[in-house]
Amino acid sequence: MGLAIISPGKNMDAWISNFQSLDPSIPIQVYPDIQDPLSVEAALLWNHPPGILLEFPNLKLICSMGAGVDHILKDPQLPEHTPITRIVDEKLTWSMTNYVVMGVLNHHRQLVRYQQQQREKRWDMSSPEIEVSIGVLGVGALGNDIVDKLSYMGFKVSGFGKSPKIMSYPYYFGSQLDDFLQQINVLVCMLPLTAETEGYLNLELFKKCNPGTYLINVARGKHLNEQELLVALERGYISGALLDVFHVEPLPSNHPFWEEERIMMTPHIASVTNPNAAAPQILENFRRMKMSQPLINQINRIKGY
Ligand code: OXD
């Protein structure tokens, strides 16, 4: 009884060699070459074809290949009671925090402006720093680390979440969104994608931001109403954005974001799961599943994260 890896179009060699060197006794099958569906007890998924899990009647564990599980939960034919885990890993957190710190510093120290000045051979020392007060929407494992590191660097940082929590930093929740937005001028989206958070970054929210707020979205493309971001830029609610995620990936070549100078983009690389770091926790959960022990990093299906 073994593990199926289902991640169409991606090279799985690094995962396979990690699994094999950690525990060669576990049979691994890689989609689409699954010869023995009855033997599949655990599935490791990234953008799997919807409905495919129904082909595995002995499935007892579903693992996301990344931190997010929205790609799994959107499958309308997801087996109802099979537990789902996600990756929580220091390296993933480290990369994500580095990316956001880079985005904040780039905005704060205006690297884009100085690159432009260099092209124009222009020496302008005026206003060398933009004052920033950062707000992180969504303070789970990843968001919290971002708040901690930016606070450590001396930035003013607040967090926003769904429910009350005692935090070591200014924390807003629930109906306090407007107060949170009033405290900040850099908004970092770290929310999980759920029915509640889809389209959360929209014109209504942008209007409530301090004029000229800078947006960083490293969560999911569907958090952002892309058309309304363009409107918010035109109206000055938002001054610019760093985006790593998009509704459609790869971003289509006719998408207006390509032409928008105030938007800086990267191709969903803010933090990419490293198989060396993540394979041990998949196998640990495989072992726990076999022994009927509590899983690590299991998500709550009702909450959606
Ligand atoms: C993830 C991602 O969820 O890469 O890990 O987006």
Side-chain angles (χ1 to χ4, degrees), residues 95-115:
S95 296
M96 185 59 94
T97 296
N98 286 348
Y99 182 97
V100 172
V101 168
M102 169 198 73
V104 168
L105 288 179
N106 192 9
H107 172 65
H108 168 60
R109 300 309 307 257
Q110 310 172 85
L111 217 54
V112 174
R113 164 188 161 189
Y114 293 116
Q115 277 184 316

Side-chain angles (χ1 to χ4, degrees), residues 46 64-70 92 219-220 245 268 271-273:
W46 188 257
S64 169
M65 204 174 269
V69 289
D70 49 297
L92 202 67
R220 284 290 181 262
V245 286
H268 201 146
S271 181
V272 177
T273 309

Side-chain angles (χ1 to χ4, degrees), residues 69-291:
V69 289
D70 49 297
H71 61 106
I72 296 176
L73 295 177
K74 74 180 182 199
D75 180 348
Q77 288 164 291
L78 196 62
E80 236 177 279
H81 300 294
T82 315
I84 303 174
T85 63
R86 70 188 196 106
I87 303 290
V88 178
D89 147 51
E90 276 176 17
K91 167 68 178 65
L92 202 67
T93 307
W94 186 74
S95 296
M96 185 59 94
T97 296
N98 286 348
Y99 182 97
V100 172
V101 168
M102 169 198 73
V104 168
L105 288 179
N106 192 9
H107 172 65
H108 168 60
R109 300 309 307 257
Q110 310 172 85
L111 217 54
V112 174
R113 164 188 161 189
Y114 293 116
Q115 277 184 316
Q116 181 58 28
Q117 284 189 200
Q118 184 178 344
R119 279 193 289 271
E120 293 169 7
K121 303 194 169 113
R122 190 158 56 84
W123 189 270
D124 175 1
M125 290 171 68
S126 65
S127 319
E129 288 177 2
I130 294 177
E131 229 178 272
V132 290
S133 170
I134 303 133
V136 179
L137 264 179
V139 281
L142 294 167
N144 240 322
D145 192 63
I146 291 169
V147 177
D148 282 352
K149 301 280 163 53
L150 284 168
S151 305
Y152 177 78
M153 290 173 75
F155 287 106
K156 203 171 147 213
V157 196
S158 320
F160 180 85
K162 197 168 148 176
S163 35
K165 284 188 209 172
I166 310 282
M167 298 305 226
S168 57
Y169 49 83
Y171 174 75
Y172 300 79
F173 65 94
S175 59
Q176 299 170 333
L177 179 68
D178 295 12
D179 297 337
F180 165 74
L181 293 174
Q182 279 316 300
Q183 302 310 311
I184 63 162
N185 64 5
V186 174
L187 178 62
V188 180
C189 178
M190 294 302 305
L191 293 169
L193 182 66
T194 63
E196 245 174 289
T197 64
E198 186 165 340
Y200 202 83
L201 304 172
N202 58 30
L203 196 55
E204 202 190 319
L205 179 141
F206 297 143
K207 276 186 191 164
K208 294 180 192 159
C209 291
N210 280 308
T213 289
Y214 189 77
L215 174 69
I216 299 179
N217 187 17
V218 277
R220 284 290 181 262
K222 288 197 174 154
H223 286 120
L224 174 65
N225 184 319
E226 294 181 339
Q227 198 48 45
E228 292 185 3
L229 172 61
L230 294 170
V231 176
L233 285 166
E234 275 325 296
R235 297 195 190 160
Y237 304 141
I238 297 292
S239 59
L242 171 62
L243 306 177
D244 185 54
V245 286
F246 306 89
H247 275 235
V248 178
E249 295 177 5
L251 191 70
S253 58
N254 61 354
H255 196 288
F257 283 0
W258 291 112
E259 308 293 335
E260 175 50 72
E261 282 186 0
R262 289 165 288 192
I263 295 178
M264 197 178 271
M265 297 187 286
T266 50
H268 201 146
I269 48 70
S271 181
V272 177
T273 309
N274 175 343
N276 297 340
Q281 67 184 264
I282 305 284
L283 291 192
E284 174 60 17
N285 271 334
F286 188 86
R287 192 190 65 75
R288 288 175 180 230
M289 174 269 291
K290 298 290 276 183
M291 312 279 288

